[in-house]
Amino acid sequence: MAALPYLLLALVLIWPAAAPTADSLPPPSQPPPPPPPQKVQVWPKPTSISWQSAVYAPLSPSFSIRAVPSHPSLRHAIAFYTRLIRTERHAALVPPANYTLARVPIRLVALSVSDPEVPLGPAVDESYALSVLPDSGSADISAATPWGAIRGLETFSQLAWAGGGAATGGQPIVPSGIEISDRPHFTHRGILLDTARNYYPVRDILHTLRAMAFNKLNVFHWHITDAQSFPIVLPTVPNLANFGSYSPAMRYTDNDVRRIVRFAESFGIRVIPEIDMPGHTGSWAGAYPEIVTCANKFWAPRAKPALAAEPGTGQLNPLNPKTYRVAQDVLRDLVALFPDPYLHGGADEVNTACWEDDPVVRRFLAEGGTHDHLLEVFINATRPYLAQELNRTVVYWEDVLLGPKVTVGPTILPKETTILQTWNNGPENTKRVVAAGYRAIVSSASYYYLDCGHGGWVGNDSRYDKQEKEREGTPLFNDPGGTGGSWCAPFKTWQRVYDYDILHGLTDDEAQLVLGGEVALWSEQSDETVLDGRLWPRAAAAAETLWSGNKGSRGKKRYANATERLNDWRHRMVGRGIRAEPIQPLWCPLHPGMCNLSQ
């Protein structure tokens, strides 16, 4: 028996191998499938990424960025991103595994811009292409405009992470051989910040603009004034701020405004100012009481209609000629400070009872006038001045056309120089605006209002003084599922923001009229102490959907994939000084997929 193994071995060695059949051979014309693409953690997700081999190249200690030709905003961005990329040492929550390091370090990012003189403005081209050629020692970013080049620099900064360890001398590493082609889905991607209910110091506004640039957001909608305060100093009408701001320390001077506008532009961010009128103007009454109706009155008198949507009463009187002299001074000064071609005129939540508090208005109504006619008088006296004399496209809230109580007809709002911003009824009002032929900016409260769900803020409210469980079948207030006093409850989670399709229900032609969207932070319960947490990372969720959408290549919503990436992006933002709220316990990103609702 001992010889049997040797006999079997000899048979194996001399026996001819069976010839492969035709069925067992792979077709000669079909090469082996390419390796799966590697993970790249960039937020917002680029529209096209190609990177097949898990090879990273270290950055040289002398790493630099150069541009041809140069541009003032690009010079600032180059200096900023050079410092950021050289100093940031982002450690991914779940680092990539099984990668190799290239021998040739990246010494240079070369920027090429085909048209460096394109001004920042609506619909500016922000596309770019980025490539890191293997073993070349350089990366290339090409763009049509400086603003696209800035977006490319942000992407490159997010490609770098601290994964090389001692092998790279502690230098960051970036994917070698990666190619990215990227452009935004929507040209208008913004944040609205209300600085009237509560004041935000200039440093916090600049801080927010920097965070917006990290997320490729490009519009800062500055809701400057409201019924509660008038914090901007305007040279022709300085008493509006002198009597309407909370204090001398809570005012924005012309130098402050210019600093904010310049800083925003250096990151490719437009600043659109909003002076809300004729409603929400109680703060004007300190300087000009004669042009404001129902000023400084209790907002919700007993057994009478409310004088305002919230505490802080007062509306401009459309029947007082001085109203328009002051309003034109305000608008002229504003245009001198803000170069953007858009100016937001508000026109939301006009309150009929507030106007009726004025005897001249009551007489006008008694003689057959209407509230719609009053608003028409105001719009006709201010909108042409803005559009024709000051050469601005006027943005209004949807109320001016769709408001539940007071509206004007489309003949008063020429479509060529008017844009409407939606905030009620979600996709339904967006549909109504674009179906009427207007361009739209979407800020639906049910998805994009970041102040919602924090409970009520008016005092002396007995509704909270309930010790017993609320009866089922009645509107809930304090118990789980209730509003807690927040008119737009519940809280808008990042997934609610992320999953909003702002083109829902629109035809292709109607969709072309949607410029983009803005998340909004109204500041009744916010100031600089909570600013980062209120905005981030929920505003980042909107940033990705407005840049590259919320669906994968097969048309399926990618919120599951986004969870992992947003956890890591929030981690990087915190490292960059943005105090973004966590979206999950840290255990979740460290155990991918284990915190999902379903597998």
Side-chain angles (χ1 to χ4, degrees):
M1 295 293 293
L4 183 58
Y6 296 100
L7 177 61
L8 293 174
L9 177 62
L11 289 171
V12 168
L13 292 174
I14 65 175
W15 197 268
T21 66
D23 291 340
S24 65
L25 287 174
S29 60
Q30 295 182 2
Q38 303 298 317
K39 284 187 177 181
V40 178
Q41 300 284 30
V42 173
W43 194 279
K45 187 179 181 68
T47 53
S48 174
I49 302 176
S50 175
W51 185 45
Q52 303 298 337
S53 58
V55 179
Y56 287 88
L59 297 181
S60 168
S62 60
F63 167 81
S64 63
I65 303 171
R66 298 176 191 167
V68 177
S70 187
H71 183 276
S73 287
L74 210 48
R75 285 197 293 269
H76 174 275
I78 287 172
F80 175 81
Y81 280 107
T82 300
R83 289 192 302 270
L84 176 64
I85 295 166
R86 283 179 175 176
T87 58
E88 186 175 42
R89 296 295 184 270
H90 173 65
L93 291 174
V94 181
N98 302 319
Y99 59 88
T100 59
L101 293 175
R103 290 177 297 175
V104 180
I106 302 296
R107 298 182 177 86
L108 173 69
V109 169
L111 295 177
S112 60
V113 179
S114 57
D115 193 348
E117 301 305 320
V118 174
L120 181 63
V124 71
D125 190 341
E126 296 174 273
S127 65
Y128 67 92
L130 184 156
S131 61
V132 181
L133 300 178
D135 297 322
S136 66
S138 67
D140 295 316
I141 297 175
S142 59
T145 70
W147 322 111
I150 290 172
R151 307 296 174 236
L153 286 173
E154 175 57 40
T155 293
F156 187 85
S157 77
Q158 294 184 35
L159 294 177
W161 66 286
T168 63
Q171 287 296 109
I173 59 177
V174 298
S176 178
I178 193 169
E179 294 185 0
I180 294 175
S181 178
D182 203 9
R183 67 185 315 115
H185 281 13
F186 294 98
T187 58
H188 190 111
R189 310 176 308 280
I191 285 177
L192 177 153
L193 183 64
D194 161 23
T195 62
R197 269 83 175 200
N198 278 305
Y199 175 83
Y200 294 84
V202 171
R203 67 175 182 274
D204 294 283
I205 294 176
L206 301 180
H207 174 83
T208 298
L209 291 168
R210 192 178 301 114
M212 289 175 63
F214 294 155
N215 288 273
K216 298 188 176 75
L217 291 167
N218 68 347
V219 174
F220 178 59
H221 175 168
W222 189 356
H223 184 89
I224 307 173
T225 68
D226 213 287
Q228 291 82 2
S229 78
F230 197 106
I232 186 171
V233 180
L234 299 176
T236 308
V237 281
N239 279 342
L240 282 170
N242 291 339
F243 294 102
S245 64
Y246 288 130
S247 76
M250 294 185 176
R251 296 173 188 160
Y252 303 106
T253 66
D254 55 349
N255 286 332
D256 292 333
V257 172
R258 291 189 179 97
R259 181 184 178 193
I260 289 167
V261 170
R262 283 196 303 268
F263 188 83
E265 184 183 20
S266 71
F267 285 109
I269 298 171
R270 300 162 51 206
V271 181
I272 299 177
E274 179 184 355
I275 300 291
D276 202 350
M277 53 183 175
H280 293 272
T281 48
S283 59
W284 298 45
Y288 301 101
E290 66 274 22
I291 69 171
V292 182
T293 65
C294 88
N296 300 313
K297 295 195 173 184
F298 186 67
W299 72 288
R302 185 182 297 274
K304 292 182 179 181
L307 295 174
E310 66 180 35
T313 60
Q315 293 184 169
L316 296 183
N317 188 339
L319 301 181
N320 188 331
K322 187 174 181 179
T323 294
Y324 304 108
R325 294 197 294 272
V326 176
Q328 289 186 5
D329 287 342
V330 167
L331 295 173
R332 187 172 55 252
D333 284 355
L334 209 64
V335 165
L337 289 172
F338 293 91
D340 196 85
Y342 289 2
L343 192 147
H344 206 302
D348 63 314
E349 296 185 318
V350 173
N351 185 286
T352 57
C354 181
W355 269 342
E356 291 171 9
D357 190 64
D358 180 79
V360 176
V361 171
R362 288 198 300 271
R363 185 165 60 249
F364 171 84
L365 296 172
E367 293 172 354
T370 66
H371 299 102
D372 287 358
H373 189 196
L374 286 171
L375 183 58
E376 182 178 315
V377 169
F378 182 84
I379 297 295
N380 270 337
T382 53
R383 201 209 64 81
Y385 179 74
L386 262 175
Q388 297 165 18
E389 298 292 327
L390 300 179
N391 194 30
R392 289 295 185 266
T393 294
V394 187
V395 186
Y396 291 121
W397 291 103
E398 63 178 30
D399 308 45
V400 72
L401 187 70
L402 307 179
K405 292 184 178 180
V406 186
T407 62
V408 300
T411 57
I412 307 301
L413 303 170
K415 298 175 178 62
E416 299 77 18
T417 54
T418 305
I419 296 170
L420 299 181
Q421 185 162 5
T422 66
W423 66 284
N424 282 304
N425 300 325
E428 178 183 336
N429 277 16
T430 303
K431 175 80 170 179
R432 293 174 66 189
V433 165
V434 297
Y438 289 96
R439 290 168 289 171
I441 298 167
V442 178
S443 292
S444 303
S446 298
Y447 301 84
Y448 277 1
Y449 272 26
L450 304 184
D451 55 300
C452 296
H454 287 279
W457 56 273
V458 294
N460 194 26
D461 191 342
S462 63
R463 292 175 296 176
Y464 297 100
D465 186 18
K466 307 294 182 185
Q467 313 307 317
E468 304 297 328
K469 181 180 178 181
E470 294 173 312
R471 290 185 297 109
E472 293 186 11
T474 61
L476 298 176
F477 188 83
N478 296 302
D479 285 349
T483 67
S486 171
W487 73 270
C488 54
F491 180 88
K492 313 308 173 195
T493 69
W494 79 265
Q495 290 185 82
R496 178 66 167 171
V497 174
Y498 192 87
D499 285 341
Y500 188 28
D501 179 3
I502 66 172
L503 301 181
H504 178 76
L506 305 184
T507 68
D508 290 344
D509 288 342
E510 290 169 344
Q512 295 299 315
L513 292 172
V514 177
L515 303 180
E518 295 174 4
V519 292
L521 182 59
W522 302 103
S523 296
E524 287 90 345
Q525 295 171 287
S526 301
D527 63 11
E528 76 273 17
T529 63
V530 298
L531 178 59
D532 275 1
R534 289 282 200 275
L535 287 176
W536 311 105
R538 292 183 295 159
E544 174 155 298
T545 64
L546 294 171
W547 180 274
S548 54
N550 55 15
K551 298 177 183 177
S553 56
R554 297 180 180 178
K556 183 179 178 181
K557 292 279 182 74
R558 61 185 184 207
Y559 46 81
N561 166 274
T563 304
E564 175 188 343
R565 292 186 299 106
L566 186 57
N567 266 313
D568 195 77
W569 175 231
R570 180 260 171 187
H571 177 57
R572 188 188 281 261
M573 280 199 294
V574 170
R576 292 183 175 187
I578 311 301
R579 298 176 67 85
E581 287 184 338
I583 64 171
Q584 289 180 322
L586 182 58
W587 186 88
C588 297
L590 297 180
H591 298 79
M594 294 295 286
C595 290
N596 290 341
L597 183 64
S598 60
Q599 287 186 315

